[in-house]
Amino acid sequence: MSLDVTRAEPHLHEARQRLEHARTSRLAQLQALDESGPSTDDHLSAVQKTAMERVIKEIEAAFARIDDGTYGTCLGCAKPVPPERLEILPYTRYCVACQRRSA
């Protein structure tokens, strides 16, 4: 049975939309990097590509957290991640305090 997040939790529907937008943007950036071909700064391109691929994995993990009901709960302290933080960084796993501790 699938959970209809649009009816159950409007904020989850908005989170899903933000995540979709973030994923679409990163995929477009990756495609642009791939299409640009070899450049004089291949190392920088490789670093950018790796960072975007990491964010895409984080976005996919956030979709899974929406599906399993744990989205918006800090993986460090188990408290709710502030909505403002999720608005800015919809794929975050941690509140600011726990993120600082893990860095």
Side-chain angles (χ1 to χ4, degrees):
M1 179 162 85
S2 169
L3 176 66
D4 182 0
V5 295
T6 59
R7 287 178 44 208
E9 298 282 350
H11 73 278
L12 291 179
H13 177 67
E14 292 168 11
R16 192 175 284 279
Q17 287 180 317
R18 282 193 293 277
L19 289 165
E20 289 284 354
H21 176 73
R23 181 172 52 188
T24 301
S25 280
R26 295 316 185 290
L27 289 171
Q29 291 169 337
L30 271 177
Q31 184 176 356
L33 276 175
D34 287 342
E35 289 174 356
S36 67
S39 73
T40 56
D41 202 349
D42 283 337
H43 175 71
L44 179 60
S45 293
V47 169
Q48 287 175 321
K49 188 173 181 179
T50 300
M52 281 183 255
E53 288 168 344
R54 182 183 49 77
V55 170
I56 290 169
K57 285 180 185 173
E58 289 291 327
I59 291 167
E60 295 302 327
F63 280 120
R65 289 192 303 279
I66 287 174
D67 292 342
D68 73 16
T70 62
Y71 181 80
T73 301
C74 177
L75 295 181
C77 65
K79 293 180 183 172
V81 176
E84 300 81 14
R85 179 162 171 77
L86 290 171
E87 213 171 294
I88 294 166
L89 200 62
Y91 48 86
T92 190
R93 296 171 183 251
Y94 301 101
C95 66
V96 172
C98 288
Q99 183 71 48
R100 284 187 184 137
R101 280 194 289 271
S102 72

